[in-house]
Amino acid sequence: MKPHLERLRPSADSSWSMLNRRLDDGIPFQWHHHPELELTLTLNSRGERFIGDHIGAYDDGDLVLVGSNLPHTWCSAEKIDADRPHVALVLWFRPDWVEALDATFTELAAARRMLTAASAGLKFSADFAARARPLIEAAFTQAPEDRLLSAIRILTLLARDVEAKPLSSTLAVPTAGQGDRARLDRVLDHIHLNYAESLPVAVLAGIAALSPSGLHRLFGRHLQTTISDYVMRLRIGEACALLSGTDRPIAHIAGDVGYASLANFNRQFKVLKLRTPRDYRHSFRVRR
């Protein structure tokens, strides 16, 4: 269940990327993350969305913004219209694209604040999702210069949604300076691919080309958390997905996500989720 680091190919004729994903058999569980921020509109589909340590039901018209390097996936349960495919309309924005907008256009300050808030994922209200839907659908038929204007319209519209809800307690990487972002990307790539293994600070510091104290300062400055807390939140987020999506024994799940001690796993899980792993699994199944 380690999240796969996805490297997206930049578009040859556009400064941002998009995908019209249509699947007849269903949207598969593909746990992954990437540096790009992702706006996903899901149509003709019902199921569960997993974003960081958030798990929730989605339905037709669900619109979510996922922050940089925040693990996520959707997993469909059924179509709404059996004769049409599951659809995911996806827009990707690189962190440097977001920085360029903010540095150039004062008018986009609200959109920039929203994109920063997406570090833990944002679910937009049904009203704003419905208003954004025709703009998102139209963007897929437009020339590159018109798509750029549509992207700005979509982001400025969604930035007005005061009912948008954060989803995850797992932190993603906020936009940082070029040097800091490269260091964070390298370290977080390693953490996300090896979270279930031992992660000595000295090794992580070497990957970042920093001293251990310099790495701690980098995390504190840009993630507002410690390295150990980030790893704990990532491991518990993975455990949530396993508890809700599999029947594996809890002790095995603890080992899968990097805990040698079941007691330590139970203690940290309860600190973050305010319930035991067993209670979490039971409550999730009751909701289904």
Side-chain angles (χ1 to χ4, degrees):
M1 261 284 279
K2 293 182 181 180
H4 168 66
L5 173 62
E6 187 172 77
R7 292 296 187 187
L8 305 176
R9 288 185 178 181
S11 174
D13 59 0
S14 179
S15 59
W16 56 285
S17 304
M18 58 200 312
L19 174 67
N20 186 338
R21 193 181 191 198
R22 295 174 177 268
L23 298 166
D24 283 323
D25 293 336
I27 300 173
F29 188 101
Q30 296 175 328
W31 194 226
H32 68 287
H33 68 106
H34 40 70
E36 294 79 5
L37 290 83
E38 175 180 315
L39 182 66
T40 294
L41 174 65
T42 312
L43 304 172
N44 196 46
S45 185
R46 291 190 182 102
E48 302 289 339
R49 77 171 101 71
F50 301 75
I51 298 174
D53 61 5
H54 157 84
I55 302 171
Y58 75 85
D59 209 321
D60 181 61
D62 185 68
L63 183 61
V64 168
L65 181 61
V66 179
S68 175
N69 277 321
L70 181 62
H72 59 280
T73 189
W74 279 249
C75 186
S76 60
E78 62 177 347
K79 298 177 183 177
I80 295 168
D81 181 345
D83 295 327
R84 296 188 295 120
H86 300 265
V87 176
L89 301 181
V90 185
L91 312 183
W92 289 296
F93 308 105
R94 296 194 312 273
D96 58 351
W97 188 89
V98 175
E99 283 182 8
L101 287 183
D102 182 59
T104 307
F105 302 107
T106 303
E107 296 87 348
L108 299 181
R112 171 58 185 271
R113 288 194 294 271
M114 174 191 69
L115 291 165
T116 301
S119 61
L122 283 176
K123 180 188 183 303
F124 296 100
S125 67
D127 175 50
F128 274 81
R131 292 164 63 182
R133 176 173 177 170
L135 297 175
I136 295 171
E137 291 178 319
F140 284 83
T141 65
Q142 294 171 336
E145 60 273 19
D146 295 322
R147 287 202 304 267
L148 175 60
L149 296 176
S150 290
I152 294 173
R153 289 190 187 101
I154 291 163
L155 294 177
T156 53
L157 169 65
L158 295 176
R160 300 188 191 109
D161 186 1
V162 297
E163 296 182 1
K165 303 295 185 184
L167 295 175
S168 174
S169 64
T170 303
L171 297 173
V173 186
T175 303
Q178 183 65 32
D180 281 356
R181 187 175 64 246
R183 295 177 195 275
L184 279 169
D185 281 350
R186 292 198 303 270
V187 173
L188 289 169
D189 286 352
H190 183 81
I191 289 174
H192 282 238
L193 291 172
N194 300 280
Y195 70 90
E197 310 299 329
S198 175
L199 294 168
V201 171
V203 172
L204 298 178
I207 292 169
L210 291 170
S211 67
S213 61
L215 180 61
H216 283 300
R217 287 194 297 271
L218 186 71
F219 259 69
R221 184 164 63 248
H222 293 296
L223 291 165
Q224 293 81 53
T225 190
T226 64
I227 297 168
S228 60
D229 189 62
Y230 186 93
V231 173
M232 177 185 71
R233 290 176 180 275
L234 179 60
R235 287 173 171 171
I236 297 302
E238 306 296 304
C240 287
L242 287 169
L243 287 165
S244 65
T246 76
D247 292 320
R248 285 182 63 74
I250 291 173
H252 292 184
I253 289 174
D256 290 342
V257 301
Y259 287 92
S261 164
L262 178 59
N264 188 33
F265 169 68
N266 286 333
R267 181 168 54 254
Q268 292 194 359
F269 192 99
K270 192 169 184 179
V271 166
L272 273 186
K273 307 308 293 183
L274 304 179
R275 65 184 73 182
T276 66
R278 189 177 304 278
D279 288 342
Y280 180 89
R281 171 176 271 173
H282 177 71
S283 65
F284 181 82
R285 290 178 176 176
V286 168
R287 289 198 303 272
R288 291 174 65 98

